Amino acid sequence: MTDDLNRELERAVEQARSALSSVSTLDELEALETRVLGRKGELTGMLRRIGTLPPEQRGPFGQAANREKSALAEAVEARREELRNASLAGVRDFDPTTPGIRPARGHQHPVLAIRREIEEIFLSMGFLVLDGPEVETEHYNFEALNIPGHHPARDMQDTFWLETAPDVSFVMRTHTSPMQVRAMERFGVPIRAVVPGRVYRNETCDATHEATFHQVEGLVVDRGISVAHLKGVMGAFLGRLFGREVTVRLRPHYFPFVEPGFELDFQCVHCEGAGCSVCKRSGWIEMLGCGMVHPRVLEAGGADPEEFTGFAFGVGIDRLAMMRHVIEDIRHFHAGDLRFFEQF
Ligand code: PHE
């Protein structure tokens, strides 16, 4: 009986020692420790079986087993120390002043970033932010905006026409203005809304023209709205966007869906009107189209032009992003060259 148990003890100790010399991590060491010395470990188990021995053999076996157990525990401790030192060796060689490896991280496209800023500004002024369809009907893109079929104003914007259903013609919207009428139909008047989105023009691309670009439409309709409101809101908007007071001027301009219509310029924020390359030496930057909503457009949206007046504007977002970052060619935005995007 003792002999069996003694042999078992010997074998277990031998195995444990050889396992100990081959463990290479602290985790492995801990597993081994539990397996051999733990509460349910092999050696502990043998010590529990001591009661099965004849009484006179219990003492000697118990002593032997306990000796082996504490010797093993010491060896485990020693090995633990070795492994700790080995893992610290790497830490000692670590130089915290070495520059780290920066993980690649995406960010917003410069056009989207400025679009979000514009949305925030108008939200804070109590405007709705709406979304509209890029595939638009001829009705909303033209007709409802006082641009009938034969009207020369249709040529102001070169249009991508889509396949025509029997009774509707579809276009890729040439501007966000169709949302003026859709918004009035959907929400009624009075209304304050901005509509950011992508627009399409069938034009030859160059440094300042792209076949697809982005606009934000703005619409305010209420009782007693005047050009003064238009100019005030535009000044506040641009001031917030550029983080400083900006000087704006309105120049008369023709758009069929506003009367009177204007182009809004603002004094160049780079040279403060002195003339520089950004403003092409004129001191002014042509910024957006705007005007008082045409009575026919109010009517198309279901508002009574006798009771309501309103202003609308359409601003090119790509152009704003180009000005802010002094980007010389609009085509960079869609070229997909990371060397360009990584600058923002
Ligand atoms: N839709 C016009 C354009 O794309 C801009 C505009 C919007 C002008 C609203 C007046 C009022 O050029």
Side-chain angles (χ1 to χ4, degrees), residues 54-74:
E56 74 279 8
Q57 293 174 1
R58 291 179 192 167
F61 176 79
Q63 282 162 17
N66 274 320
R67 223 178 11 253
E68 292 296 354
K69 199 179 168 190
S70 38
L72 260 182
E74 254 171 56

Side-chain angles (χ1 to χ4, degrees), residues 23-327:
V23 296
S24 57
T25 69
L26 286 165
D27 283 347
E28 283 171 24
L29 181 68
E30 224 150 85
L32 176 65
E33 190 179 21
T34 317
R35 182 156 59 76
V36 179
L37 301 170
R39 235 168 11 91
K40 294 181 180 158
E42 288 166 15
L43 283 192
T44 324
M46 282 176 213
L47 276 164
R48 284 218 185 94
R49 275 152 61 200
I50 206 167
T52 65
L53 293 175
E56 74 279 8
Q57 293 174 1
R58 291 179 192 167
F61 176 79
Q63 282 162 17
N66 274 320
R67 223 178 11 253
E68 292 296 354
K69 199 179 168 190
S70 38
L72 260 182
E74 254 171 56
V76 165
E77 227 25 75
R79 185 81 187 118
R80 196 189 320 274
E81 204 50 35
E82 269 171 36
L83 289 174
R84 276 217 188 103
N85 285 339
S87 70
L88 278 180
V91 174
R92 265 188 246 107
D93 292 342
F94 174 69
D95 176 0
T97 63
T98 314
I101 300 164
R102 209 180 271 276
R105 185 159 158 256
H107 61 77
Q108 287 181 340
H109 188 286
V111 170
L112 177 61
I114 228 166
R115 166 178 164 169
R116 292 279 185 255
E117 279 178 47
I118 296 172
E119 290 173 6
E120 277 310 312
I121 293 170
F122 281 103
L123 275 171
S124 79
M125 295 200 271
F127 282 62
L128 300 169
V129 177
L130 306 178
D131 211 7
E134 291 175 18
V135 172
E136 192 48 284
T137 62
E138 184 181 11
H139 169 76
Y140 285 108
N141 198 80
F142 293 121
E143 232 87 18
L145 292 172
N146 194 32
I147 317 175
H150 58 269
H151 200 285
R154 288 227 174 168
D155 302 334
M156 286 171 75
Q157 301 170 349
D158 303 298
T159 308
F160 286 113
W161 290 89
L162 299 174
E163 281 204 15
T164 307
D167 45 2
V168 248
S169 297
F170 291 102
V171 300
M172 297 308 293
R173 66 175 173 194
T174 56
H175 49 183
T176 42
S177 297
M179 278 303 289
Q180 291 182 26
V181 175
R182 283 186 182 275
M184 283 188 279
E185 283 178 348
R186 169 80 174 74
F187 296 97
V189 289
I191 185 173
R192 270 175 288 180
V194 287
V195 189
R198 200 185 274 272
V199 300
Y200 300 82
R201 297 216 184 146
N202 191 0
E203 310 188 281
T204 331
C205 298
D206 62 28
T208 53
H209 298 88
E210 256 282 26
T212 138
F213 56 102
H214 304 79
Q215 291 186 329
V216 180
E217 193 76 10
L219 175 72
V220 172
V221 179
D222 206 335
R223 297 174 183 86
I225 296 292
S226 73
V227 175
H229 294 110
L230 165 63
K231 203 174 172 187
V233 169
M234 292 296 94
F237 156 56
L238 294 169
R240 286 272 296 278
L241 192 64
F242 291 109
R244 53 190 286 186
E245 198 131 325
V246 294
T247 310
V248 301
R249 76 176 181 194
L250 294 176
R251 256 181 312 109
H253 192 88
Y254 174 69
F255 299 97
F257 33 92
V258 284
E259 179 56 40
F262 309 99
E263 268 187 337
L264 184 145
D265 304 335
F266 68 87
Q267 209 167 55
C268 180
V269 281
H270 287 282
C271 64
E272 304 201 14
C276 68
S277 63
V278 175
C279 59
K280 297 185 191 125
R281 317 263 153 233
S282 72
W284 293 91
I285 293 180
E286 187 186 309
M287 190 66 244
L288 53 88
C290 57
M292 300 306 292
V293 181
H294 197 287
R296 291 225 183 96
V297 176
L298 289 171
E299 263 167 11
D304 179 2
E306 295 295 323
E307 189 181 356
F308 288 96
T309 52
F311 68 80
F313 60 90
V315 52
I317 314 181
D318 311 70
R319 168 99 61 98
L320 281 175
M322 287 171 78
M323 274 176 24
R324 167 171 296 178
H325 302 295
V326 197
I327 294 165

